[in-house]
Amino acid sequence: MSEYDESLQDIGLIDSSERFQGILNIPMSINSTLCGGILDMKSNYAKTALMASNEMVFDDERLVHGGFIIGAGEWAAHVAVNTQYSVTISTKANLYAPARVGDLIEFEAHAYFEESKKREIKVVGTIKGVKVFEGTYQIVVLEEHIFKIQQKKKSDDNDE
């Protein structure tokens, strides 16, 4: 196990999906080293964390590319929605401070409009208690995978 993996294990990010087995409905094919691991979750809420790594470097000063932070925020949003089939349709994100390799970025996501297929999720990311990220994600909850829906529509269009 690498030093990076050991540090993730120390904060509970290795195999976090096993801790939430039975209540986790979302697919777990995502790379948690690039999007973060789950620390806590309950209905319409998720707390995740991302350890900034060398794979995220933007420059020689070890600045982390903001896209990784926005992506980790999106992952937190999907965990808060916690449904098998969903797709992000909109993101509004603000980066307030830079992150560097070695920073632990914690995300808290709160999902709203549970009765609707179109959900809004507010996500805040912090490093050592300082807000570095804030985003609003709109996620559509689907009955089946988006690619299957698109394929059916394509087949229906061809039949006409």
Side-chain angles (χ1 to χ4, degrees):
M1 183 178 297
S2 72
E3 183 178 321
Y4 180 76
D5 286 343
E6 287 175 9
S7 66
L8 292 179
Q9 192 171 36
D10 289 345
I11 58 171
L13 294 183
I14 296 288
D15 297 327
S16 59
S17 61
E18 289 179 15
R19 290 183 18 213
F20 299 101
Q21 198 167 20
I23 61 168
L24 194 60
N25 297 318
I26 56 176
M28 288 303 299
S29 301
I30 197 154
N31 184 335
S32 62
T33 51
L34 297 178
C35 293
I38 304 166
L39 297 176
D40 190 17
M41 67 176 293
K42 51 189 160 213
S43 181
N44 298 311
Y45 171 82
K47 184 171 185 176
T48 63
L50 175 71
M51 180 66 77
S53 66
N54 287 321
E55 291 79 18
M56 303 169 190
V57 166
F58 183 73
D59 64 17
D60 292 341
E61 299 295 320
R62 299 167 44 107
L63 174 71
V64 171
H65 187 281
F68 290 100
I69 297 168
I70 294 167
E74 182 180 6
W75 170 241
H78 277 276
V79 174
V81 171
N82 193 28
T83 187
Q84 186 174 6
Y85 303 114
S86 60
V87 64
T88 303
I89 60 167
S90 174
T91 302
K92 181 179 178 187
N94 295 301
L95 298 164
Y96 299 121
R100 69 181 66 211
V101 171
D103 282 342
L104 177 66
I105 309 161
E106 294 186 17
F107 296 88
E108 284 198 64
H110 295 272
Y112 302 94
F113 310 116
E114 184 174 13
E115 65 287 342
S116 175
K117 287 188 179 245
K118 185 176 172 184
R119 307 286 307 276
E120 182 172 284
I121 304 89
K122 306 274 188 189
V123 181
V124 173
T126 60
I127 298 173
K128 297 179 181 173
V130 176
K131 186 185 335 182
V132 297
F133 168 82
E134 188 170 41
T136 301
Y137 297 84
Q138 290 184 337
I139 293 176
V140 174
V141 175
L142 304 167
E143 302 280 327
E144 58 186 331
H145 196 281
I146 184 68
F147 293 154
K148 288 184 179 175
I149 293 170
Q150 289 174 336
Q151 188 62 38
K152 283 181 183 177
K153 178 156 177 32
K154 195 174 184 179
S155 287
D156 291 347
D157 288 348
N158 289 338
D159 290 345
E160 293 176 1

